[in-house]
Amino acid sequence: MMRSRSTLLGLQLLVAVVLLAIWHLGSTVKLNIPAISAKPFYVLDPFFFSTPVAVFQRTFLDFYSGAIWYHLGITLLETLLAFAIGAAGGVLIGFWFARKAVLAAVFDPYVKMANALPRVVLAPIFALWLGLGIWSKVALGVTLVFFIVFFNVYQGVKEVSPTLLANARMLGMNERQLMRNVFWPSALTWMFSSLHTAVGFALVGAVVGEYLGAAAGLGYRIHQAEGVFDVTGVFSGMVVLSIFVIIIDMLVSAIEKRLLVWRPAPATAQ
Amino acid sequence: MSPVLSVVQPAPQVQTSAVVLEKVRIAFPNAKRGGASFVAVDDANLAVADGEFVAIVGPTGCGKSTLLNATAGLLKPASGSVSIFGEALSGLNRKAGYLFQAEALFPWKTAVENVAIGLDIVGTPKAEARAEAREWLARVGLAAFADRYPHMLSGGQRKRVGLAQVLIRHPKILLMDEPFGPLDAQTRQIMGNLLLDLWSADRKAVMFVTHDLEEAIALADRVVIMGAGPAARIIGEWKVPIARPRDIDVRLDPEFHRLHKEIWAALKDEVVKGYRQSETVEQGQ
């Protein structure tokens, strides 16, 4: 049972307000309960938890002074490059493997092996190879995005309905036309269905890369703040990151809606 | 051998047969450790005259579709020959249009794009192909649905689009594999009538596979019965001497009833046999 849109929005906001209120009260109101502690104490010590006001103030100042924009831009650039390169590679190789069964069979164990590897261990290697600039982060993102897109495209081309294929051939399509009219749209469909995950992973690659060693980016800022026990800075970085992710996700949804207009709407549980 | 009725019949002028199947045997290799191959159809002989509407009826799993796929060139017979207008078939049958049982529309194309694709791929200018596709959609009664995607159409509407998609290429032979199988009974009758209307405009040779004897008699000039598989054979054929044009009321015709009774008598045993076969196969697995 789904209530109206505004009710839902109200409830969603209520959750945020309640959580923020608990955080705010816990970190600003000193309790004096001798049974627990001799001295008056905070439930959420601001040294460890900061306060909502301080976090929002810091975030606002970062944006207002313009200090954060540069880092945001770097992270965005890394994310986009990682996604573009990883997706292009995934589509090409996925397509190729799906059409050449022998190739897929030969490389199968290696692909599985590479995909099973936790990508974080690669970060120092990439930093060594590509330096501390953006490319080591892009490379890390690519290793994440590539496999998601690769597996989806591979599956998409493999699972083209045999009837659809037979129909296309009976309608007179040659190999090239089959590629363009049957395999390619099918592969793209599967790729787009993994778009949210792929973009998300591109961002994870960028931020984790920055966190492990960089001179700019959101991950770098969070790492810097942690280094000096600046909890407000860490939380502010997380807030910026979350907003950033939500905006990117909304953009992806908009693109998806445009491109997959022919797809039946998923049966949403209402 | 087969009880062909000698009632006067406005037979189509027979010159060359559109389709001739001679001693066609179709086998599938057995997947299990190179065991004996599975013979789906054996010793099938069938000639379809140009402009003749032949319905092929048989119990489930008797290889009706297999026979159709061999005629389409999608399957190569193990032995025997398939000739199309006097020429031995090699590769795909370029003279045939095929309406499949399963969904075969391009889900990412709108109805009009789906219909136009047959013209697009032979290089017809886009505008021209679209215009003609819209005409065909109008002919199958879907003018208002041209810009819908397949998932926005009902099962019957999708079949209409499929029909237009096949017919826009003006194939000389129309192969239909239980095309109206998944539709409800009323929609099937309406689709049958639509098919007859379109067919009577430029009589193509039609091979219409169905498991529904009533549908077969209502539509066809000739009904061919296949026995139960494996190694199914054609076990009989009946001419349908009911005058054309036929309409939905054809099912009330006394001739229809007589024919139905007669063919059913022959078909019944095969249907029972077919079920028994499929049961033992299932138990075997």
Side-chain angles (χ1 to χ4, degrees), chain B residues 92-137:
Chain B
L92 286 181
N93 185 345
R94 291 281 166 219
K95 291 204 166 73
Y98 199 138
L99 193 58
F100 291 84
Q101 179 180 16
E103 293 291 339
L105 295 179
F106 301 90
W108 41 78
K109 290 182 188 291
T110 58
V112 66
E113 286 168 346
N114 259 294
V115 177
I117 187 77
L119 298 180
D120 286 341
I121 57 180
V122 293
T124 312
K126 213 172 172 122
E128 204 177 301
R130 292 298 157 90
E132 202 169 324
R134 276 179 199 278
E135 267 173 47
W136 271 102
L137 280 175

Short mmCIF file of all heavy atoms in Angstrom, two decimals, chain B residues 92-137:
data_model
loop_
_atom_site.label_atom_id
_atom_site.label_comp_id
_atom_site.label_asym_id
_atom_site.label_seq_id
_atom_site.Cartn_x
_atom_site.Cartn_y
_atom_site.Cartn_z
N LEU B 92 19.37 -20.37 -46.25
CA LEU B 92 18.04 -19.90 -45.84
C LEU B 92 17.11 -19.77 -47.03
O LEU B 92 17.55 -19.47 -48.14
CB LEU B 92 18.15 -18.54 -45.15
CG LEU B 92 18.71 -18.52 -43.73
CD1 LEU B 92 18.71 -17.11 -43.20
CD2 LEU B 92 17.88 -19.42 -42.82
N ASN B 93 15.85 -19.99 -46.79
CA ASN B 93 14.84 -19.87 -47.84
C ASN B 93 14.47 -18.40 -48.00
O ASN B 93 13.72 -17.84 -47.21
CB ASN B 93 13.63 -20.69 -47.44
CG ASN B 93 12.58 -20.72 -48.53
OD1 ASN B 93 12.63 -19.93 -49.46
ND2 ASN B 93 11.66 -21.65 -48.40
N ARG B 94 15.03 -17.78 -49.03
CA ARG B 94 14.84 -16.34 -49.22
C ARG B 94 13.44 -16.00 -49.75
O ARG B 94 13.06 -14.84 -49.79
CB ARG B 94 15.88 -15.80 -50.20
CG ARG B 94 17.27 -15.81 -49.63
CD ARG B 94 17.46 -14.63 -48.69
NE ARG B 94 18.64 -14.78 -47.88
CZ ARG B 94 18.69 -14.43 -46.59
NH1 ARG B 94 17.63 -13.97 -45.99
NH2 ARG B 94 19.81 -14.55 -45.92
N LYS B 95 12.71 -17.01 -50.19
CA LYS B 95 11.38 -16.74 -50.75
C LYS B 95 10.31 -16.84 -49.68
O LYS B 95 9.14 -16.58 -49.95
CB LYS B 95 11.08 -17.72 -51.88
CG LYS B 95 11.95 -17.50 -53.10
CD LYS B 95 11.26 -18.04 -54.35
CE LYS B 95 11.92 -17.55 -55.61
NZ LYS B 95 13.23 -18.20 -55.87
N ALA B 96 10.73 -17.23 -48.47
CA ALA B 96 9.72 -17.51 -47.44
C ALA B 96 9.70 -16.44 -46.35
O ALA B 96 10.73 -15.86 -46.02
CB ALA B 96 10.00 -18.87 -46.81
N GLY B 97 8.52 -16.18 -45.85
CA GLY B 97 8.37 -15.38 -44.64
C GLY B 97 7.94 -16.32 -43.53
O GLY B 97 7.20 -17.28 -43.78
N TYR B 98 8.42 -16.08 -42.33
CA TYR B 98 8.19 -17.03 -41.25
C TYR B 98 7.56 -16.30 -40.07
O TYR B 98 8.13 -15.35 -39.55
CB TYR B 98 9.54 -17.63 -40.84
CG TYR B 98 9.48 -18.93 -40.05
CD1 TYR B 98 10.37 -19.95 -40.32
CD2 TYR B 98 8.55 -19.11 -39.05
CE1 TYR B 98 10.34 -21.15 -39.61
CE2 TYR B 98 8.51 -20.29 -38.33
CZ TYR B 98 9.41 -21.30 -38.61
OH TYR B 98 9.37 -22.48 -37.90
N LEU B 99 6.39 -16.75 -39.68
CA LEU B 99 5.76 -16.19 -38.47
C LEU B 99 5.94 -17.21 -37.35
O LEU B 99 5.43 -18.32 -37.43
CB LEU B 99 4.28 -15.91 -38.73
CG LEU B 99 3.58 -15.05 -37.69
CD1 LEU B 99 4.25 -13.70 -37.54
CD2 LEU B 99 2.12 -14.86 -38.05
N PHE B 100 6.68 -16.80 -36.33
CA PHE B 100 7.06 -17.76 -35.29
C PHE B 100 5.99 -17.87 -34.21
O PHE B 100 5.17 -16.99 -34.02
CB PHE B 100 8.37 -17.32 -34.64
CG PHE B 100 9.55 -17.43 -35.55
CD1 PHE B 100 9.84 -16.41 -36.44
CD2 PHE B 100 10.34 -18.56 -35.54
CE1 PHE B 100 10.93 -16.52 -37.30
CE2 PHE B 100 11.43 -18.67 -36.39
CZ PHE B 100 11.71 -17.64 -37.26
N GLN B 101 6.08 -18.99 -33.49
CA GLN B 101 5.15 -19.20 -32.38
C GLN B 101 5.51 -18.29 -31.21
O GLN B 101 4.66 -17.65 -30.62
CB GLN B 101 5.23 -20.66 -31.95
CG GLN B 101 4.32 -20.99 -30.78
CD GLN B 101 4.43 -22.45 -30.40
OE1 GLN B 101 5.37 -23.14 -30.79
NE2 GLN B 101 3.47 -22.91 -29.63
N ALA B 102 6.81 -18.23 -30.90
CA ALA B 102 7.25 -17.42 -29.77
C ALA B 102 7.36 -15.95 -30.18
O ALA B 102 7.29 -15.62 -31.35
CB ALA B 102 8.60 -17.94 -29.27
N GLU B 103 7.53 -15.10 -29.19
CA GLU B 103 7.71 -13.67 -29.46
C GLU B 103 8.95 -13.47 -30.31
O GLU B 103 10.03 -13.94 -29.97
CB GLU B 103 7.91 -12.93 -28.14
CG GLU B 103 6.68 -12.91 -27.25
CD GLU B 103 5.57 -12.05 -27.84
OE1 GLU B 103 5.87 -11.19 -28.69
OE2 GLU B 103 4.41 -12.26 -27.45
N ALA B 104 8.81 -12.77 -31.40
CA ALA B 104 9.96 -12.58 -32.28
C ALA B 104 10.11 -11.13 -32.72
O ALA B 104 10.88 -10.83 -33.62
CB ALA B 104 9.87 -13.50 -33.49
N LEU B 105 9.36 -10.23 -32.10
CA LEU B 105 9.51 -8.81 -32.46
C LEU B 105 10.75 -8.26 -31.77
O LEU B 105 11.16 -8.75 -30.73
CB LEU B 105 8.28 -8.01 -32.02
CG LEU B 105 6.97 -8.37 -32.70
CD1 LEU B 105 5.85 -7.51 -32.13
CD2 LEU B 105 7.06 -8.17 -34.20
N PHE B 106 11.31 -7.21 -32.36
CA PHE B 106 12.44 -6.54 -31.73
C PHE B 106 11.89 -5.66 -30.62
O PHE B 106 11.20 -4.68 -30.90
CB PHE B 106 13.21 -5.69 -32.75
CG PHE B 106 13.74 -6.50 -33.89
CD1 PHE B 106 12.99 -6.71 -35.04
CD2 PHE B 106 14.98 -7.09 -33.81
CE1 PHE B 106 13.47 -7.47 -36.07
CE2 PHE B 106 15.48 -7.85 -34.85
CZ PHE B 106 14.72 -8.06 -35.98
N PRO B 107 12.19 -5.99 -29.36
CA PRO B 107 11.54 -5.26 -28.26
C PRO B 107 11.96 -3.80 -28.20
O PRO B 107 11.26 -2.98 -27.64
CB PRO B 107 11.99 -6.01 -27.01
CG PRO B 107 13.19 -6.79 -27.41
CD PRO B 107 13.08 -7.04 -28.87
N TRP B 108 13.13 -3.47 -28.80
CA TRP B 108 13.61 -2.09 -28.73
C TRP B 108 13.18 -1.28 -29.93
O TRP B 108 13.67 -0.17 -30.12
CB TRP B 108 15.13 -2.08 -28.59
CG TRP B 108 15.80 -3.08 -29.47
CD1 TRP B 108 16.01 -2.97 -30.80
CD2 TRP B 108 16.30 -4.35 -29.08
NE1 TRP B 108 16.62 -4.09 -31.27
CE2 TRP B 108 16.82 -4.96 -30.24
CE3 TRP B 108 16.38 -5.03 -27.86
CZ2 TRP B 108 17.39 -6.22 -30.22
CZ3 TRP B 108 16.94 -6.28 -27.86
CH2 TRP B 108 17.45 -6.86 -29.02
N LYS B 109 12.33 -1.84 -30.75
CA LYS B 109 11.81 -1.07 -31.88
C LYS B 109 10.31 -0.90 -31.72
O LYS B 109 9.63 -1.80 -31.22
CB LYS B 109 12.10 -1.79 -33.20
CG LYS B 109 13.57 -1.81 -33.59
CD LYS B 109 13.73 -2.50 -34.93
CE LYS B 109 15.19 -2.73 -35.29
NZ LYS B 109 15.91 -1.50 -35.59
N THR B 110 9.78 0.24 -32.17
CA THR B 110 8.33 0.44 -32.11
C THR B 110 7.67 -0.45 -33.16
O THR B 110 8.34 -1.04 -34.00
CB THR B 110 7.98 1.90 -32.43
OG1 THR B 110 8.48 2.23 -33.72
CG2 THR B 110 8.57 2.86 -31.41
N ALA B 111 6.35 -0.52 -33.11
CA ALA B 111 5.60 -1.37 -34.04
C ALA B 111 5.97 -1.02 -35.48
O ALA B 111 6.28 -1.90 -36.29
CB ALA B 111 4.11 -1.21 -33.81
N VAL B 112 5.97 0.28 -35.79
CA VAL B 112 6.22 0.67 -37.18
C VAL B 112 7.67 0.36 -37.56
O VAL B 112 7.94 -0.08 -38.69
CB VAL B 112 5.85 2.15 -37.42
CG1 VAL B 112 6.74 3.10 -36.66
CG2 VAL B 112 5.90 2.48 -38.90
N GLU B 113 8.59 0.51 -36.62
CA GLU B 113 9.99 0.18 -36.92
C GLU B 113 10.16 -1.33 -37.12
O GLU B 113 10.93 -1.77 -37.97
CB GLU B 113 10.91 0.64 -35.77
CG GLU B 113 11.11 2.14 -35.73
CD GLU B 113 11.77 2.61 -34.44
OE1 GLU B 113 11.85 1.83 -33.46
OE2 GLU B 113 12.19 3.77 -34.41
N ASN B 114 9.40 -2.09 -36.33
CA ASN B 114 9.45 -3.53 -36.47
C ASN B 114 8.98 -3.98 -37.84
O ASN B 114 9.55 -4.87 -38.46
CB ASN B 114 8.58 -4.20 -35.40
CG ASN B 114 9.39 -4.73 -34.24
OD1 ASN B 114 10.17 -5.65 -34.42
ND2 ASN B 114 9.23 -4.13 -33.08
N VAL B 115 7.92 -3.32 -38.33
CA VAL B 115 7.38 -3.71 -39.63
C VAL B 115 8.31 -3.24 -40.74
O VAL B 115 8.51 -3.93 -41.74
CB VAL B 115 5.96 -3.13 -39.81
CG1 VAL B 115 5.42 -3.47 -41.18
CG2 VAL B 115 5.04 -3.66 -38.73
N ALA B 116 8.91 -2.06 -40.55
CA ALA B 116 9.74 -1.47 -41.61
C ALA B 116 11.09 -2.16 -41.75
O ALA B 116 11.74 -2.03 -42.78
CB ALA B 116 9.94 0.02 -41.35
N ILE B 117 11.50 -2.92 -40.74
CA ILE B 117 12.87 -3.43 -40.73
C ILE B 117 13.18 -4.28 -41.97
O ILE B 117 14.27 -4.20 -42.52
CB ILE B 117 13.15 -4.23 -39.42
CG1 ILE B 117 14.61 -4.63 -39.31
CG2 ILE B 117 12.29 -5.46 -39.30
CD1 ILE B 117 15.51 -3.50 -38.90
N GLY B 118 12.18 -5.06 -42.43
CA GLY B 118 12.39 -5.90 -43.61
C GLY B 118 12.74 -5.08 -44.84
O GLY B 118 13.47 -5.54 -45.72
N LEU B 119 12.21 -3.85 -44.91
CA LEU B 119 12.53 -2.98 -46.04
C LEU B 119 13.83 -2.23 -45.77
O LEU B 119 14.63 -2.03 -46.68
CB LEU B 119 11.39 -1.97 -46.27
CG LEU B 119 10.04 -2.56 -46.64
CD1 LEU B 119 9.01 -1.47 -46.84
CD2 LEU B 119 10.14 -3.41 -47.89
N ASP B 120 14.02 -1.81 -44.51
CA ASP B 120 15.25 -1.08 -44.15
C ASP B 120 16.49 -1.85 -44.57
O ASP B 120 17.42 -1.28 -45.12
CB ASP B 120 15.31 -0.87 -42.62
CG ASP B 120 14.34 0.20 -42.16
OD1 ASP B 120 13.90 1.00 -43.01
OD2 ASP B 120 14.02 0.24 -40.96
N ILE B 121 16.48 -3.15 -44.30
CA ILE B 121 17.72 -3.90 -44.50
C ILE B 121 17.99 -4.17 -45.98
O ILE B 121 19.10 -4.55 -46.31
CB ILE B 121 17.73 -5.23 -43.70
CG1 ILE B 121 16.54 -6.08 -44.08
CG2 ILE B 121 17.78 -4.96 -42.22
CD1 ILE B 121 16.52 -7.39 -43.33
N VAL B 122 17.03 -3.95 -46.85
CA VAL B 122 17.35 -4.07 -48.27
C VAL B 122 17.60 -2.69 -48.88
O VAL B 122 17.70 -2.55 -50.10
CB VAL B 122 16.25 -4.81 -49.07
CG1 VAL B 122 16.20 -6.26 -48.64
CG2 VAL B 122 14.91 -4.15 -48.92
N GLY B 123 17.69 -1.69 -48.02
CA GLY B 123 18.12 -0.38 -48.49
C GLY B 123 17.01 0.53 -48.98
O GLY B 123 17.27 1.52 -49.66
N THR B 124 15.76 0.21 -48.65
CA THR B 124 14.67 1.12 -48.99
C THR B 124 14.85 2.43 -48.21
O THR B 124 15.16 2.38 -47.02
CB THR B 124 13.31 0.50 -48.60
OG1 THR B 124 13.28 -0.84 -49.08
CG2 THR B 124 12.15 1.28 -49.18
N PRO B 125 14.67 3.58 -48.86
CA PRO B 125 14.79 4.84 -48.11
C PRO B 125 13.87 4.85 -46.89
O PRO B 125 12.76 4.32 -46.94
CB PRO B 125 14.35 5.90 -49.12
CG PRO B 125 14.59 5.29 -50.44
CD PRO B 125 14.41 3.81 -50.28
N LYS B 126 14.37 5.42 -45.81
CA LYS B 126 13.70 5.34 -44.52
C LYS B 126 12.24 5.80 -44.57
O LYS B 126 11.34 5.11 -44.10
CB LYS B 126 14.47 6.18 -43.50
CG LYS B 126 14.40 5.60 -42.11
CD LYS B 126 15.34 6.34 -41.16
CE LYS B 126 15.09 5.85 -39.76
NZ LYS B 126 16.19 5.29 -39.08
N ALA B 127 12.04 6.99 -45.17
CA ALA B 127 10.69 7.56 -45.20
C ALA B 127 9.72 6.64 -45.93
O ALA B 127 8.59 6.41 -45.49
CB ALA B 127 10.73 8.94 -45.85
N GLU B 128 10.22 6.10 -47.04
CA GLU B 128 9.39 5.21 -47.85
C GLU B 128 9.03 3.94 -47.08
O GLU B 128 7.87 3.50 -47.06
CB GLU B 128 10.20 4.84 -49.09
CG GLU B 128 9.39 4.44 -50.29
CD GLU B 128 10.33 4.18 -51.47
OE1 GLU B 128 11.07 5.11 -51.85
OE2 GLU B 128 10.33 3.04 -51.97
N ALA B 129 10.05 3.37 -46.40
CA ALA B 129 9.83 2.15 -45.62
C ALA B 129 8.82 2.42 -44.51
O ALA B 129 7.91 1.60 -44.27
CB ALA B 129 11.15 1.67 -45.03
N ARG B 130 8.96 3.55 -43.84
CA ARG B 130 8.02 3.91 -42.76
C ARG B 130 6.60 4.03 -43.28
O ARG B 130 5.64 3.54 -42.69
CB ARG B 130 8.41 5.23 -42.09
CG ARG B 130 9.67 5.18 -41.30
CD ARG B 130 9.52 4.19 -40.16
NE ARG B 130 10.83 3.72 -39.74
CZ ARG B 130 11.54 4.32 -38.80
NH1 ARG B 130 11.07 5.34 -38.17
NH2 ARG B 130 12.73 3.86 -38.49
N ALA B 131 6.47 4.72 -44.42
CA ALA B 131 5.14 4.95 -44.98
C ALA B 131 4.48 3.61 -45.30
O ALA B 131 3.31 3.38 -44.97
CB ALA B 131 5.25 5.82 -46.22
N GLU B 132 5.27 2.72 -45.91
CA GLU B 132 4.71 1.43 -46.28
C GLU B 132 4.37 0.60 -45.03
O GLU B 132 3.34 -0.08 -44.98
CB GLU B 132 5.69 0.67 -47.18
CG GLU B 132 4.99 -0.39 -48.00
CD GLU B 132 5.90 -0.96 -49.08
OE1 GLU B 132 6.71 -0.19 -49.65
OE2 GLU B 132 5.79 -2.16 -49.35
N ALA B 133 5.23 0.72 -44.03
CA ALA B 133 5.00 -0.01 -42.78
C ALA B 133 3.70 0.48 -42.14
O ALA B 133 2.91 -0.32 -41.61
CB ALA B 133 6.17 0.19 -41.83
N ARG B 134 3.47 1.78 -42.18
CA ARG B 134 2.22 2.31 -41.61
C ARG B 134 1.01 1.77 -42.37
O ARG B 134 -0.02 1.46 -41.77
CB ARG B 134 2.23 3.84 -41.64
CG ARG B 134 2.96 4.41 -40.45
CD ARG B 134 3.01 5.91 -40.44
NE ARG B 134 4.08 6.34 -39.54
CZ ARG B 134 3.96 6.43 -38.22
NH1 ARG B 134 2.80 6.16 -37.65
NH2 ARG B 134 4.97 6.78 -37.47
N GLU B 135 1.15 1.65 -43.69
CA GLU B 135 0.05 1.08 -44.48
C GLU B 135 -0.25 -0.34 -44.03
O GLU B 135 -1.40 -0.72 -43.86
CB GLU B 135 0.43 1.05 -45.96
CG GLU B 135 0.00 2.27 -46.74
CD GLU B 135 0.57 2.24 -48.14
OE1 GLU B 135 0.47 1.17 -48.81
OE2 GLU B 135 1.12 3.27 -48.57
N TRP B 136 0.83 -1.11 -43.83
CA TRP B 136 0.63 -2.50 -43.41
C TRP B 136 0.02 -2.59 -42.02
O TRP B 136 -0.83 -3.43 -41.77
CB TRP B 136 1.94 -3.28 -43.48
CG TRP B 136 2.13 -3.89 -44.83
CD1 TRP B 136 2.92 -3.44 -45.83
CD2 TRP B 136 1.44 -5.03 -45.34
NE1 TRP B 136 2.78 -4.24 -46.93
CE2 TRP B 136 1.89 -5.23 -46.67
CE3 TRP B 136 0.49 -5.92 -44.81
CZ2 TRP B 136 1.41 -6.27 -47.46
CZ3 TRP B 136 0.03 -6.96 -45.61
CH2 TRP B 136 0.48 -7.12 -46.92
N LEU B 137 0.44 -1.68 -41.15
CA LEU B 137 -0.14 -1.67 -39.81
C LEU B 137 -1.63 -1.35 -39.91
O LEU B 137 -2.45 -1.92 -39.18
CB LEU B 137 0.57 -0.65 -38.93
CG LEU B 137 1.90 -1.14 -38.36
CD1 LEU B 137 2.59 -0.03 -37.58
CD2 LEU B 137 1.68 -2.34 -37.44
#
